Amino acid sequence: MRIIEGKLTSPFGMRVHPITKNKSFHNGIDIACPIGTPILAPGNGKVEQILSNEIGGLQMIISVSNERYGFAHLSECTLNEGDAFILGEKIALSGNSGRTSGPHLHFTHKSGGKWV
């Protein structure tokens, strides 16, 4: 199951940052998609945190079993902190918030405390 429909524009790992032009570690993947594209839950779980800052914009962190997933640059969160969700449920909408070079989802996955 896909969490979102779009085009992979930046892979996981070392890269040249599209805005700063510096070589740095990219802790997730970027998926280009129109603002408002639904983001679906990768499993049954709970919303751990919703936050916003200058770089990642509106963000959501969720847990599914012992895995943690992050979603950044959102336009909207359709759930609140502490809410439970099921596999495939809409949890947020993609956006262009924070520091971006265009509308996309920055998606991260942590397993055993390590970025994967």
Side-chain angles (χ1 to χ4, degrees):
M1 185 201 88
R2 292 182 181 211
I3 61 160
I4 195 166
E5 293 291 327
K7 179 182 176 185
L8 179 67
T9 56
S10 189
F12 176 84
M14 293 304 292
R15 69 168 185 175
V16 175
H17 192 280
I19 295 175
T20 67
K21 306 301 182 199
N22 295 322
K23 190 171 185 180
S24 60
F25 177 71
H26 190 230
N27 67 351
I29 62 172
D30 289 344
I31 303 167
C33 53
I35 294 171
T37 302
I39 300 166
L40 308 179
N44 300 335
K46 178 179 143 185
V47 178
E48 296 294 336
Q49 186 178 19
I50 295 173
L51 63 145
S52 186
N53 63 41
E54 205 173 276
I55 295 174
L58 180 60
Q59 302 169 61
M60 175 185 277
I61 299 169
I62 65 169
S63 61
V64 175
S65 298
N66 293 325
E67 309 291 306
R68 290 181 68 95
Y69 298 91
F71 309 87
H73 308 300
L74 304 173
S75 64
E76 181 182 336
C77 296
T78 58
L79 300 174
N80 297 305
E81 286 185 6
D83 285 352
F85 52 80
I86 60 170
L87 173 68
E89 182 176 345
K90 181 171 66 173
I91 59 173
L93 301 175
S94 68
N96 194 30
S97 60
R99 186 173 67 183
T100 72
S101 58
H104 73 283
L105 170 67
H106 175 71
F107 173 68
T108 61
H109 177 196
K110 244 184 181 179
S111 181
K114 296 182 181 182
W115 299 112
V116 292

